[in-house]
Amino acid sequence: MMPAYLRSKEKLRSAHDLKSVVNKYILPGLGDRFADSITRGEISTFIAEIAETRPTRARNVLAQLSAFYSWALPQLDNLAANPCRDAGRPPKPVARDRVLTDPEIAGLWRVADGEALPWGPALKLLMLTGTRRSEVFEADRSEIDIKAKEWTIPAERAKNGLPHIVPLSAEALAVIKAIPASDDSPKLFPAMGNPENGASGHSRALARFRKSLNETLKRELAERWTLHDCTATSQLKGQRHRR
């Protein structure tokens, strides 16, 4: 059933990540079983084993497996309910922000210089504005007022559900002005083949950024970093600057 499920989702923006989870975790762990023979307890054990080393990934695997069962349930006469529903769920990871060091920031800026659209400019805006990844990649050009030097993130996309005005520095404005406008998309960074949406593929881009930064710094960073850490670093430095 899993091949049919993957085919039904292949047009989704998340199809690549779904296929990766299925091939790396679900099929190796449960692929030799009939879908209606797998119990809640077995799923709990399966997820717990992943969570021992990758708790965040374990939560994602459980969510993807649960979505599969929701899709498959009408076709499974011998299964009364989604076995993932009450399966053991790994705890949410403790939130943490990793503040990038000055050499890391400088190195990451050089990495951004070497990246084509949308990744290089988007990475720079994350570092310059302290906004979230989704806010940058889903930004509409209409939200940006070059003359007022402001970017207004609408309530439906802001984290707190309220409109958020982001002051734009000269550096941020220069980055934005250099991004060519698209005639068929309102987005600052339109998705290839689907210009009404913002660019996707962040996981692959982040892996490339990490590799490039290690090469730029000529060492492998002991602590992993995420795109959110660029946001946190910018916000912290902004707070220090205002003191």
Side-chain angles (χ1 to χ4, degrees):
M1 296 186 74
M2 187 60 77
Y5 175 66
L6 291 176
R7 286 195 298 272
S8 74
K9 304 296 182 181
E10 61 186 6
K11 292 184 179 180
L12 297 179
R13 292 171 60 187
S14 59
H16 176 82
D17 291 336
L18 168 61
K19 188 175 181 180
S20 176
V21 167
V22 169
N23 290 334
K24 188 172 182 179
Y25 295 97
I26 296 176
L27 290 183
L30 301 171
D32 61 343
R33 303 282 302 281
F34 288 111
D36 57 3
S37 71
I38 300 171
T39 67
R40 179 181 59 192
E42 289 172 327
I43 289 176
S44 295
T45 300
F46 168 62
I47 296 299
E49 289 173 351
I50 300 172
E52 288 179 1
T53 55
R54 304 198 67 184
T56 300
R57 175 58 75 181
R59 290 177 63 86
N60 180 246
V61 172
L62 179 60
Q64 298 287 13
L65 190 57
S66 181
F68 161 74
Y69 271 107
S70 295
W71 172 87
L73 202 56
Q75 308 168 60
L76 299 173
D77 294 335
N78 296 327
L79 195 64
N82 185 335
C84 297
R85 183 179 302 164
D86 297 315
R89 185 181 301 273
K92 289 185 178 181
V94 177
R96 69 95 179 103
D97 291 328
R98 173 171 166 354
V99 177
L100 302 177
T101 66
D102 288 344
E104 289 170 352
I105 294 171
L108 197 53
W109 191 270
R110 292 197 294 274
V111 169
D113 280 336
E115 287 281 340
L117 278 168
W119 309 111
L123 183 55
K124 288 182 177 181
L125 286 180
L126 283 171
M127 291 190 283
L128 290 169
T129 63
T131 48
R132 295 159 60 232
R133 182 189 73 184
S134 61
E135 292 169 341
V136 169
F137 282 99
E138 292 294 332
D140 284 353
R141 284 188 172 272
S142 61
E143 299 169 3
I144 297 168
D145 188 330
I146 296 293
K147 187 174 181 180
K149 302 179 181 179
E150 290 179 346
W151 169 19
T152 302
I153 300 173
E156 59 268 22
R157 293 203 303 106
K159 184 176 182 180
N160 61 1
L162 298 172
H164 176 45
I165 297 177
V166 181
L168 296 173
S169 65
E171 293 87 352
L173 286 169
V175 171
I176 292 170
K177 289 177 181 178
I179 301 169
S182 173
D183 293 334
D184 58 352
S185 175
K187 297 296 182 184
L188 188 63
F189 300 113
M192 187 177 297
N194 191 8
E196 290 301 310
N197 292 321
S200 59
H202 314 122
S203 297
R204 283 171 287 177
L206 177 58
R208 190 171 64 250
F209 295 159
R210 285 173 174 154
K211 183 175 183 293
S212 297
L213 182 57
N214 289 341
E215 293 172 351
T216 298
L217 298 177
K218 295 182 172 55
R219 61 185 174 87
E220 185 168 350
L221 300 183
E223 188 177 358
R224 286 170 68 85
W225 58 276
T226 68
L227 291 178
H228 178 71
D229 295 332
C230 297
T231 299
T233 300
S234 176
Q235 291 174 347
L236 179 62
K237 289 185 177 294
Q239 291 169 3
R240 289 174 177 172
H241 180 72
R242 289 190 292 270
R243 287 175 184 170

